[in-house]
Amino acid sequence: MTNLQITSSTDPVSRDQSVVRRLIDDLQLRGMSERTIDMYVRAVLQLAKHCQKPPNSVSEEELRQYFLYNKNIRKWSRTASTISLCGIKFFFTHTLKRKWTTLKFVRPEKQKTLPVVLSLDEVRKLLDSVQFQHHKACLTVMYSLGLRLQEGTHLQIPDVDSKRMFVHVHRGKGNKDRYIPLPFRTLQILREFWRTHRNPVWLFPAPGRGGQDMPKASTSIPISSIQIAFKQAKIKAGIQKKVSVHHLRHSYATHLLEAGVDLRFVQEYLGHDDPKTTLIYTRLINRALPDPVALINKVMSTL
């Protein structure tokens, strides 16, 4: 069951909770990940809140105006628009069985922007500026493995294969597993940090107040905690670029390509199905760099 609350008395959907529960059931039957289910349900709840009625009572014209409002007034990004469209489209097409024309031609505006990439020096400065050890360890590991935010915070002890020097990422985007090479320095950081809490399950357990809850924590460190720590470290390091935690992943990919790592391997490490998704990083690399080296191990040795 999704973590979203749908029982608020002030929420217009509360008058017909069954339709949202059916949406959740449909998404689970389709094999969607919990994170995708949460995003899709949230998109439908946002529509219901905007229209002030249960989502199954929204007309096609109201839906059309909602998309226009998000585009012209809210000025949603392509990412936000895409998530909203996918969630709403699934709801009306599969759960309600409505074949509306609006759902066929609405498309988020295409953007040709390139992701912002941090230099090696900026990565070092940023990580050195993280205040607390649990935040620094988590962010460092996320960069050195090219992990998405939730992939990093949800790492568990069995995921680390120190014999073969790989990390097993479970149920990544699209519910896909993958293996990522484990730099030796990253293994050292993981071991050193684990000795501070010795949680039997989580590599990055929820710290609680003063970090006292980590040894017995039953949940992983909150995603919001990592996001806040990143933002504070970025300011402290004097980095002016508009970056978030996810840009560590962009930087990882770009740095590997700059080191001469084959694009096919980078694609596999990132968990991309389509090589075109990975190709974008070839437009970001500094081609004047020296010959290929084990760059991530080299970078990690300085942290």
Side-chain angles (χ1 to χ4, degrees):
M1 176 63 69
T2 178
N3 294 323
L4 289 174
Q5 299 295 321
I6 61 172
T7 57
S8 171
S9 61
T10 59
D11 193 327
V13 78
S14 64
R15 291 172 295 193
D16 192 354
Q17 297 172 18
S18 61
V19 70
V20 177
R21 296 192 183 281
R22 182 172 180 79
L23 167 63
I24 295 171
D25 291 342
D26 289 344
L27 290 166
Q28 290 177 336
L29 289 172
R30 183 58 70 91
M32 300 289 192
S33 68
E34 182 179 344
R35 183 168 176 79
T36 299
I37 293 174
D38 282 349
M39 290 191 297
Y40 279 22
V41 173
R42 184 177 291 109
V44 173
L45 294 179
Q46 287 175 333
L47 170 65
K49 183 177 180 180
H50 177 83
C51 296
Q52 287 298 301
K53 60 175 63 176
N56 55 317
S57 298
V58 174
S59 68
E60 183 172 7
E61 180 58 29
E62 287 174 320
L63 184 62
R64 177 187 176 91
Q65 293 303 317
Y66 177 68
F67 286 134
L68 287 171
Y69 180 78
N70 290 336
K71 173 181 173 59
N72 299 326
I73 306 301
R74 289 176 171 168
K75 299 188 182 300
W76 276 6
S77 67
R78 175 176 173 80
T79 299
S81 299
T82 300
I83 293 172
S84 178
L85 175 60
C86 289
I88 291 172
K89 186 174 183 179
F90 186 97
F91 174 68
F92 283 101
T93 303
H94 298 286
T95 301
L96 298 184
K97 311 296 184 185
R98 295 180 185 173
K99 299 180 180 180
W100 285 349
T101 304
T102 298
L103 295 171
K104 294 181 180 180
F105 71 77
V106 172
R107 293 288 183 276
E109 183 178 356
K110 290 186 178 182
Q111 297 176 340
K112 297 182 179 180
T113 58
L114 295 173
V116 178
V117 172
L118 295 169
S119 68
L120 294 175
D121 185 55
E122 287 172 325
V123 171
R124 282 192 286 264
K125 285 182 178 179
L126 188 145
L127 295 176
D128 285 341
S129 299
V130 180
Q131 182 178 3
F132 296 110
Q133 183 185 17
H134 51 281
H135 291 146
K136 182 175 181 179
C138 187
L139 286 167
T140 301
V141 169
M142 288 175 61
Y143 164 70
S144 67
L145 300 177
L147 299 176
R148 299 179 178 92
L149 181 53
Q150 184 164 291
E151 293 172 347
T153 59
H154 282 62
L155 282 177
Q156 298 185 3
I157 293 170
D159 298 337
V160 179
D161 187 343
S162 59
K163 300 295 184 183
R164 298 176 58 242
M165 295 301 288
F166 278 95
V167 170
H168 188 180
V169 176
H170 296 273
R171 294 174 64 83
K173 188 175 181 180
N175 277 334
K176 298 189 297 289
D177 284 18
R178 69 183 188 278
Y179 284 96
I180 305 173
L182 174 62
F184 179 71
R185 177 56 185 149
T186 303
L187 177 61
Q188 288 182 315
I189 290 174
L190 285 169
R191 285 173 169 170
E192 291 167 2
F193 179 65
W194 182 81
R195 293 190 189 102
T196 67
H197 61 77
R198 297 184 181 274
N199 187 285
V201 177
W202 300 103
L203 287 170
F204 302 108
R209 180 167 296 182
Q212 300 301 312
D213 296 342
M214 284 194 285
K216 297 182 179 180
S218 60
T219 58
S220 61
I221 188 169
I223 288 177
S224 59
S225 174
I226 297 298
Q227 292 171 322
I228 293 172
F230 180 93
K231 183 177 181 179
Q232 293 174 339
K234 171 181 171 292
I235 295 172
K236 184 178 179 181
I239 296 174
Q240 301 299 317
K241 294 178 179 177
K242 294 183 178 180
V243 291
S244 64
V245 176
H246 194 73
H247 287 84
L248 292 176
R249 176 174 159 89
H250 293 320
S251 302
Y252 164 87
T254 305
H255 296 163
L256 286 183
L257 290 173
E258 288 178 337
V261 177
D262 190 280
L263 183 71
R264 292 171 296 175
F265 290 110
V266 178
Q267 176 189 346
E268 184 177 343
Y269 301 159
L270 294 175
H272 289 163
D273 283 333
D274 189 344
K276 292 180 181 179
T277 307
T278 316
L279 272 172
I280 191 172
Y281 296 111
T282 62
R283 301 171 61 185
L284 308 175
I285 63 176
N286 181 351
R287 299 184 184 277
L289 290 177
D291 53 33
V293 291
L295 184 66
I296 295 299
N297 269 316
K298 180 179 179 181
V299 172
M300 294 303 300
S301 67
T302 66
L303 297 176

